[in-house]
Amino acid sequence: MYLNDVKLIGKVRDDAPLKTLADGDAVLSFALVTTENFKKRNGEMTTRKETHRVAAFNNVAKSAAPEGTLFAGTEVLVEGFLRSHETGGFPVTEVIARRISLNRREG
């Protein structure tokens, strides 16, 4: 049995514009920052931040950025899977989103 499933909740790092490829497909690429609070062995509380590359295509991309941009600071839940590939000769792992839910709470 195999499983490749990811769920992340975090904040969008930078404004991410919705792009249209030559073939008409929509793509949305952004960096998602997750934060983990934990206690060190000495009892001190600390925070660890991780940045994850996320890519969304077509309807998923369009629903996440209905105004044409997914704005920095937006809190999102991303559900998807990991995909690895090479870019410029370097290995890259990113989350391919199957679903993106925006937290639209005010203040």
Side-chain angles (χ1 to χ4, degrees):
M1 179 184 340
Y2 302 96
L3 178 65
N4 183 354
D5 193 38
V6 176
K7 289 185 183 182
L8 297 170
I9 297 174
K11 291 189 177 184
V12 177
R13 186 179 68 191
D14 304 304
D15 288 351
L18 182 64
K19 297 179 182 173
T20 303
L21 302 177
D23 64 3
D25 285 350
V27 64
L28 181 68
S29 298
F30 62 96
L32 181 70
V33 179
T34 57
T35 304
E36 176 187 10
N37 297 310
F38 63 96
K39 193 180 289 189
K40 290 183 175 182
R41 287 184 185 180
N42 65 6
E44 178 185 343
M45 288 300 293
T46 190
T47 300
R48 176 183 303 139
K49 291 187 177 190
E50 298 282 343
T51 302
H52 313 273
R53 291 175 58 130
V54 179
F57 299 93
N58 297 316
N59 290 338
V60 175
K62 290 174 186 175
S63 68
E67 297 158 10
T69 301
L70 181 57
F71 295 102
T74 303
E75 187 176 86
V76 298
L77 163 65
V78 174
E79 298 177 79
F81 60 95
L82 295 177
R83 182 190 301 164
S84 298
H85 56 90
E86 282 195 13
T87 299
F90 295 98
V92 175
T93 300
E94 63 187 346
V95 177
I96 305 301
R98 289 187 182 112
R99 183 174 154 218
I100 298 175
S101 302
L102 307 180
N103 183 352
R104 298 188 187 274
R105 289 183 305 179
E106 294 297 321

